Amino acid sequence: MANRQRLEWPIILFFWINFCKKFLIVFSEDADDDQYNTIGGCDEDAISDSVPFSSMTPNQFLKICPEQLGTHVKLGQPICGDGTYFSFFFHKPVQRKANADKILIEFMGGGACWSDETCQMAGDFISFPEKFNNFIGYSCSEVAYALGGGGGDNENGGNMNMLCSGSIGDTDFTEYNTIIVPYCTQDVHIGDTIQYYDDGSVINHKGGHNTMSVLRWLFRNFKSPKHIVLTGCSAGGTALPTAYDLIRKHYNGFGRRTVQISVIADSPVYLTPEYFLQNQFYKWNPSTMMSKVGFNYNRWKYASDYPTRTWDHILRRGNNRDQWGILTHNKDPVSLYFYEWMSGVYDNDGNGDRRELAEDDDGEYGQWWSELMYSVKTVKSKHKNVQSYVIDGEGHCKFGLGMALNEDYYFEDWAASIIKEQNVGSNSPAVPLFLTSLIMGIFLYIGAFHARHKREIQLDDGGFLDEATKEKTRASVRPCLASCVSCCSFASTYPISAGFTVALSIYFWTMIFSQGFVHPLNNPSLGPSSNSLSLFGINNPSLVLYQSQSFRLFTSNLLCSGILTYLIVLQCLWYCVRPLEQLIRNSMNFSVISLLLMLGINLFYTVFGNGASCSSLAFVMGLSVVYVVLRRRLEDVSSMGIIVMIILTTATVCFFFPFNSWIMLLSAILIGFLIASCVVKIITKEPLNMQEDGVVVSPASVMQVNPVKMNINGIVCAAAMLLFLIIISMIRLPNRLYLDPYYTGCDMRYTAGEDVSNLANNYGKNRRRERRLGDDEGDDYDFDNICAQFCIPHLVSRGAVYGAQKILSVSLTAGQCEDAGYDTHMADKTFNYFLNYSFDVEIFTTAEDEEGEKDDEKR
């Protein structure tokens, strides 16, 4: 047992036992304010907004402190109503779902104030919402579990529901980067002023500054997202039209739509009575924000239909394929309360009282409801992409659409239709970049081939460029152009090698600059993540066969897994592929050999491989084998150094670089040997005139005689072999686990039963009982139905499994918890280890155990 206690991470897996107790204190109704750990904003728990999104720890709530830009920048001084610093919260998905395409932005609500009386009543809502500080460092699923499942109907959760921990319809919010915009200015997120009230209070109504600081960070870190979901409760819902227009204008310029934006406004403070517009609205100075969305505020600021006009203006400027939803109760006491205050009776000093509305056939809600529905119906009649949903009964909203999701069975279907992802076109650079790289390589080949052919005709002395010609050429151009002349000479001598190098380099470096680098443990070749490699077309048999992505058989040939493999490919191109092209001399023959090798190694891996593998390295290794074998057949024995290079490279790549499969490398060596032995026919064995670097000299007299030609029978046999591999691949069933590209970069393992239950019971049963049962009686919770799964990097997988078994006596089984019957996800956690390495752990249980937990909650 002593060894088991040394296993730190399983103990930490049960983080929520302490966390649940913490939330019980923080969110219980009778909790005192002095129990909270007050954090005023930009403190030691917050990080600067200058930290790039790509370097942030995944699967943890982070508190981000926006920069104060100074008074010379409009809406650039974020602050809370009482003068404390403003920050916002951000949560990245777990690593296997990491992306920069999907974003969920939630605007918090919390009323509004515009006078002495209303601001006194809102005194608790002008400071930064410190309860959210308890999220810092925890994953969304942890928070949801600690809140009792995130439903918002539990005593711990209060007004909280974590959308980022679940899904609505087909939209899985666990895949979304979540931004939570706190509310602490009492101006529905659009203010731009400091207001001095008669009672001496000073309120920073600068919600517009806070909103813009969040959007600036969004625009800086997410260059080309695909889908953005906006939602907000109460005052947060009121801000959504303005936020939508600012986001739409940034990403979707005139005449184009690259980003889908979906909006659900939950119980917004929709109505603004005329008396409020004339006497109180100006105290927030909303004109600055409204001018940014192109609305003529000065013209319509006193109009009785001001809400209708603002929504109509925003919707007309937007795209009619972006879906909008307005959610409300037909009896909303909070909205009614603010409606009565906004339409109240005021004295000469601006102070007033809440107006009691006369009841009608619909009771006290009659007037408010009729005006609300008239305005909403007017907007819907003009814009077919706006839908409304009414919950029958009394109620308001909860953060994260919690009230509607818990109270109304049909709401989820309605919401799913609003936020369903549309096909707005791929924002990935992979497909157009591959075609661009390929076309540029082909153009370079055509131009180089034409120059080579023209030079062959013109030369009559048996040389390409003799020394005298070279000196004359250098003297006739500027020194700065000498390198260009050398490059052109190289391209004309080796057109196919030059074209492939250019296409490969463009494709690789664009991938690196757009996707960045992942931790070296995940990709030791110093390249991007498995998801990024999949995005750029790495060969993945599961995706090729199950999802018919046959394009990967071609795109993978231009793909290097990282900088180290890229350098190895360039080395092989220089020392082997380049002289091979010169040896074969006929560009058509060389193209046939290359095509047979490309298709052969990719089809072979598709039939016999699992996971994912780049094929550029295997391709040039196969050509290197062809070169060595042909030199041997031509009785040139000076290729031992190249043979050693091939052996060492293969061994190094197979052992250290997980995205270059040994199956593909060995198949490349085998196919290369077969091509050189059977497909290529030697027609002359005259001695080869070599330079010092091993490159064949090509006098015109020798160029007219090709030492090799293609064997038609060999080509037929090779084509038959490719056809056979295609047929076999059609009936093959690769591992479905690798349909998720993340798993191709690591070894999936899980542990369950006694290995985790003992630790759980020893570490947390008493605290769990205290939270669940409230006394010392009752049965112990059964942790035997818990399973933990994690993906170990290939580079350390074997050592980790061996060490866990031999040293810690913990069995790590290959596969997923689902394979062992644990099919209900509970929570997940990301830990940071050596050199900031992020390690994800997912916790699962059985369906029966989850039902038992819900019964415990009810009791």
Side-chain angles (χ1 to χ4, degrees), residues 240-376:
L240 296 186
T242 304
Y244 167 85
D245 190 79
L246 294 171
I247 294 172
R248 176 206 57 79
K249 184 168 59 175
H250 178 82
Y251 288 118
N252 296 336
F254 179 78
R256 63 184 177 92
R257 180 179 182 250
T258 61
V259 181
Q260 172 195 354
I261 308 175
S262 306
V263 184
I264 295 183
D266 189 356
S267 306
V269 183
Y270 189 92
L271 296 178
T272 48
E274 189 173 354
Y275 192 89
F276 171 79
L277 293 172
Q278 295 176 356
N279 297 277
Q280 305 296 336
F281 195 29
Y282 73 93
K283 294 180 179 179
W284 296 342
N285 189 24
S287 60
T288 308
M289 283 291 282
M290 300 312 294
S291 65
K292 291 187 72 67
V293 299
F295 183 74
N296 193 338
Y297 170 77
N298 291 325
R299 179 180 180 182
W300 304 111
K301 59 184 178 181
Y302 299 145
S304 58
D305 60 347
Y306 178 86
T308 307
R309 289 186 179 276
T310 55
W311 278 69
D312 178 60
H313 170 78
I314 297 297
L315 287 164
R316 281 190 291 106
R317 285 164 57 94
N319 193 290
N320 57 15
R321 287 175 290 177
D322 289 334
Q323 297 299 307
W324 290 66
I326 302 175
L327 169 66
T328 185
H329 288 73
N330 57 10
K331 296 179 180 180
D332 188 332
V334 176
S335 294
L336 177 64
Y337 175 84
F338 280 98
Y339 180 79
E340 291 176 338
W341 272 102
M342 287 179 173
S343 57
V345 178
Y346 296 83
D347 58 27
N348 294 331
D349 295 329
N351 299 317
D353 298 312
R354 176 182 174 185
R355 173 187 176 189
E356 296 289 342
L357 299 180
E359 297 187 11
D360 56 15
D361 294 338
D362 295 326
E364 61 179 329
Y365 294 96
Q367 181 179 343
W368 164 79
W369 179 248
S370 62
E371 292 187 18
L372 175 64
M373 283 295 97
Y374 177 79
S375 180
V376 171

Side-chain angles (χ1 to χ4, degrees), residues 19 23 34 48 75 88 104 166 283 326 336 368 376 387 413 478 497 517 546 620 623 649 651 685 712 739 774:
F19 187 55
F23 266 84
D34 58 3
S48 170
L75 302 172
F88 61 96
L104 168 65
K283 294 180 179 179
I326 302 175
L336 177 64
W368 164 79
V376 171
Q387 304 179 40
D413 293 336
R478 295 180 180 180
S497 298
F517 297 92
Y546 290 128
V620 296
L623 290 178
T649 300
K685 291 187 178 181
I712 301 300
L739 287 172

Side-chain angles (χ1 to χ4, degrees), residues 430-582:
V431 174
L433 176 62
F434 173 78
L435 295 177
T436 301
S437 303
L438 189 63
I439 290 173
M440 292 185 67
I442 292 175
F443 278 147
L444 177 61
Y445 162 73
I446 294 174
F449 180 79
H450 176 72
R452 174 181 175 177
H453 181 67
K454 182 178 179 181
R455 186 169 56 186
E456 290 175 3
I457 296 176
Q458 293 176 343
L459 291 177
D460 56 3
D461 60 350
F464 275 86
L465 288 177
D466 55 23
E467 291 301 322
T469 305
K470 291 180 180 179
E471 291 298 330
K472 183 178 179 181
T473 302
R474 292 191 183 99
S476 63
V477 297
R478 295 180 180 180
C480 62
L481 298 179
S483 59
C484 296
V485 173
S486 299
C487 292
C488 293
S489 177
F490 170 80
S492 62
T493 308
Y494 317 102
I496 296 181
S497 298
F500 179 79
T501 303
V502 169
L504 176 83
S505 299
I506 293 174
Y507 199 61
F508 173 75
W509 287 111
T510 305
M511 177 185 69
I512 292 296
F513 286 126
S514 64
Q515 302 298 314
F517 297 92
V518 75
H519 195 282
L521 279 180
N522 289 329
N523 189 346
S525 62
L526 305 182
S529 66
S530 56
N531 287 334
S532 298
L533 290 171
S534 180
L535 182 68
F536 275 76
I538 193 172
N539 190 344
N540 182 335
S542 299
L543 294 176
V544 171
L545 298 180
Y546 290 128
Q547 298 186 2
S548 301
Q549 297 183 7
S550 56
F551 66 88
R552 296 180 179 274
L553 301 178
F554 302 94
T555 55
S556 61
N557 293 288
L558 288 184
L559 194 61
C560 296
S561 62
I563 290 180
L564 297 182
T565 52
Y566 173 74
L567 295 177
I568 295 175
V569 169
L570 292 184
Q571 182 187 34
C572 292
L573 282 169
W574 181 261
Y575 288 106
C576 299
V577 179
R578 178 177 64 108
L580 173 64
E581 181 178 3
Q582 186 62 47

